[in-house]
Amino acid sequence: MGEDSNEGGRGKEIVEFDRDTIEREIRGRVREIIEQVVEAELEAALGAKVSQRVERRQGYRHGYRERTLTTSVGPTQFNMPRARVEDRDGNRHEWRSRTVARYERRSQRVDEAIVGVYLGGANTRRIRGALAPLLRGAPLSKDAVSRLVGRLKEDFERWQQRDLKDQKIRYLYMDGWYPKVRIDRKRVRVPVLVTLGTQENGERAVIDLRIAGEESGASWGEVIKALVKRGIGVPELAVVDGNPGLAAALQEQWKGIKIQRCTNHKLRNLLAKAPARLREELAEDYRRMIYAESAKKVAEQREKFTKKWKLKCAAVISSLEEAGDDLFTFTKYPPSQWKALRTTNAIERINEEFRRRTKTQASLPNEDAVVLLMYGLLCSGQIRLRRMVGWKDIPRSGSAIAIAEAA
């Protein structure tokens, strides 16, 4: 039987061929890789390779112990080296690997998969069934799942309280989202208040995420106070939906903050006020106004829109006037940023991704599952936020409005 032509597989024969051959060979390579990595880590800790004589050693080896680690290709048995190392004070203690932690049985990716399935509403038995090809008989108890969820909760609580001083947040995006959750055996929609921040370098990040009893001024006020306590500073602008309590809470905390009402939210409001036969025409006129190429043309189209629709449908203009100049705050900023500042679409994309991951479920099992699952998707990199369009024009100092007016 021929040998593997790849360098890593020379000298090894595949003794049998079946449907599991490929994965079995991959697991064999995984064992080699894990052992190479932990050996390299130990060599760095000791300052010497096996049997190498050096002037100053940081400790000595004393055998191996067999460990099993479940990775994305299934359980893999490998030999974990043992050693005693010296600390800076000259005291010796048992070496602990950072690559494969003590008592760790699964890789981070496997734990994320288990937690994701659990937060989606599956019990331990269903998790074992859903992840059977991955676990391959590896033990998974209720206590193990509970520990994983508990660890995620602790990580989320630390994340929710982390310091924001060094992030230099210039723009805020704040919006409420209403997923379905099972509460007292009933499916109800609960508000999740999401706050996204844009930094000076254009990078975006979710900086706060919480469940509220209702999307009110008081609830948003608690969010804002928490952000201030964490050192967010004074943002330049807040892009919000039409919740009046949110705008009031922002102005109460930061007197000079500029408010931009989401133009997409307002369009939906206007369409709800118009007869069905006029909605297509209304949307076309509205977009012509909002997407005009300069501040001057936006103002011209706004005047035309007001004159026309005051005669056609007064309720539309009443709704437009409710937003006032806050609907056009974006025109005071550099045109390169208009696309990013007109709407809360950045938050909508996060919500859409979350809905895509949970679309097969009628509702989530509880309120904790909502924020923990969203946090898990964010911190694992499964939801990625793109840099803001026009980020090079974000002011490093002074006012963005002053820069726009100077231009």
Side-chain angles (χ1 to χ4, degrees), residues 173 196 204 340 343-351 385:
Y173 295 77
L196 183 146
R204 288 167 163 168
T343 70
T344 57
N345 279 359
I347 291 180
E348 290 294 330
R349 291 191 188 98
I350 297 173
N351 297 341
L385 299 173

Side-chain angles (χ1 to χ4, degrees), residues 241-275:
D241 62 5
N243 187 287
L246 171 54
L250 286 165
Q251 293 289 359
E252 182 180 350
Q253 181 62 49
W254 297 300
K255 300 297 182 184
I257 192 171
K258 301 299 182 292
I259 304 293
Q260 168 62 49
R261 288 280 295 272
C262 175
T263 56
N264 282 351
H265 280 80
K266 178 47 67 175
L267 175 58
R268 290 196 287 268
N269 293 342
L270 297 182
L271 292 174
K273 302 291 183 181

